[in-house]
Amino acid sequence: MTPEQVDRLKHWFEAYADGFASRAANPEGYLLKKNHTFRVCREIVSLGRELGLDHHALLLAEAAACLHDVGRFRQLDQYGTFVDDLSEDHARIGLRVIEEERLLDGWDVREAEILRAAVAFHNAAALPGDQEEVALVFIKLLRDADKLDIWRVVTTDDQFRNTATPALIALGMTDDGQYSPEALQAVAEKRLVNKSAISRLNDFKLMQISWVFDLNFPPAVRKVIERGYIPAIMATLPASKELTAVFGQVEEWLKPFAP
């Protein structure tokens, strides 16, 4: 892999994203995913450097980040939503786009396999058990970098934080001021909130808090702490004794990773 290959891929992606945005009556969703993708590219390179990855591995990681959400554009165009359960798994769409656009033609076969695996599993409920360790490193890196930028978006987006209006970033969830016992219990048990437990915006926020238990690399956890993502999400949830108790447990879990 060469820097020129990655640059060509990034230029292709930008033109692809802009094509959807330019013909849309409401381009915000496309621009959201375009900007998210480029930030994930930066996040994954930053994480890789902290982990001591060499130049070649950093290029491969950046390519994976560039491709990871390419399916989102066709998803929004065809279905009008980013909710996979109401449309189609965006990773699967992305794999089709990669093949149809012949984006990896001429690339090293092994590198292309790693990129496809990273795209396929970046949003999976759990890590795959049938991947080689090298591929798993890039899958884990991408999952961590993706979460880091999603946290950035949800802690800075006014529509997500301050209104009950369903937003694209909140996947259409409405805010009734409540949360499900199942979602809270998952966080208390330091496990991921299952999609089946999500029926409202506060459940979605609890799921985002639970993502800290799914991070793979200590530098990613440290970035979460340094940027204050978890307290920022907690501050948007209703006040209750049980929430306060669970938040205390999350903060205790984070302490050993603090810089």
Side-chain angles (χ1 to χ4, degrees):
M1 175 174 295
T2 66
E4 291 75 22
Q5 283 178 299
V6 178
D7 284 343
R8 284 196 297 270
L9 191 63
K10 291 168 73 174
H11 286 308
W12 172 87
F13 171 79
E14 184 165 25
Y16 182 75
D18 286 345
F20 282 93
S22 65
R23 65 174 181 263
N26 187 353
E28 282 81 2
Y30 301 110
L31 296 175
L32 178 76
K33 290 303 176 183
K34 172 189 170 182
N35 295 333
H36 163 70
T37 293
F38 282 122
R39 287 193 303 268
V40 175
C41 286
R42 293 192 290 271
E43 289 281 10
I44 203 168
V45 170
S46 176
L47 281 175
R49 284 176 177 154
E50 290 195 48
L51 292 167
L53 268 61
D54 63 25
H55 181 65
H56 180 271
L58 291 175
L59 288 172
L60 190 57
E62 188 173 13
C66 184
L67 291 173
H68 84 284
D69 260 358
V70 72
R72 287 297 198 187
F73 301 89
R74 187 179 294 180
Q75 180 187 41
L76 185 60
D77 185 56
Q78 291 184 354
Y79 300 102
T81 182
F82 287 141
V83 182
D84 287 0
D85 289 344
L86 299 179
S87 55
E88 186 179 355
D89 176 49
H90 70 277
R92 189 177 300 115
I93 300 173
L95 292 173
R96 290 204 304 271
V97 172
I98 290 168
E99 297 310 308
E100 291 170 11
E101 297 285 337
R102 304 182 69 173
L103 297 179
L104 301 180
D105 284 9
W107 288 53
D108 175 84
V109 173
R110 181 62 184 129
E111 290 175 348
E113 289 176 353
I114 290 172
L115 292 176
R116 291 187 185 96
V119 172
F121 295 106
H122 83 274
N123 65 328
L127 289 167
D130 59 350
Q131 293 290 315
E132 295 179 6
E133 186 57 38
V134 173
L136 277 174
V137 168
F138 290 95
I139 294 169
K140 290 176 180 179
L141 267 174
L142 180 55
R143 288 168 68 93
D144 282 11
D146 192 26
K147 288 181 177 68
L148 285 171
D149 190 65
I150 294 173
W151 274 315
R152 189 206 68 81
V153 173
V154 302
T155 56
T156 59
D157 183 84
D158 287 340
Q159 203 171 21
F160 180 83
R161 290 183 295 125
N162 299 329
T163 81
T165 304
L168 279 172
I169 191 59
L171 303 183
M173 298 286 175
T174 54
D175 186 6
D176 62 1
Q178 304 298 313
Y179 51 87
S180 71
E182 294 82 6
L184 186 65
Q185 185 65 26
V187 179
E189 294 175 358
K190 300 178 178 59
R191 57 182 173 84
L192 284 174
V193 174
N194 193 286
K195 282 185 177 181
S196 63
I198 298 172
S199 60
R200 52 178 63 89
L201 185 59
N202 285 338
D203 296 340
F204 184 66
K205 293 177 180 181
L206 286 168
M207 181 186 73
Q208 300 238 327
I209 291 171
S210 78
W211 281 356
V212 297
F213 308 126
D214 191 48
L215 290 173
N216 298 284
F217 299 106
V221 186
R222 288 197 294 272
K223 289 178 186 292
V224 172
I225 297 169
E226 290 168 353
R227 298 173 188 178
Y229 288 150
I230 303 307
I233 298 173
M234 290 176 176
T236 69
L237 286 159
S240 76
K241 289 183 179 179
E242 56 184 1
L243 278 172
T244 298
V246 169
F247 294 165
Q249 293 173 332
V250 174
E251 289 168 348
E252 283 297 316
W253 185 88
L254 289 169
K255 276 184 180 179
F257 299 93

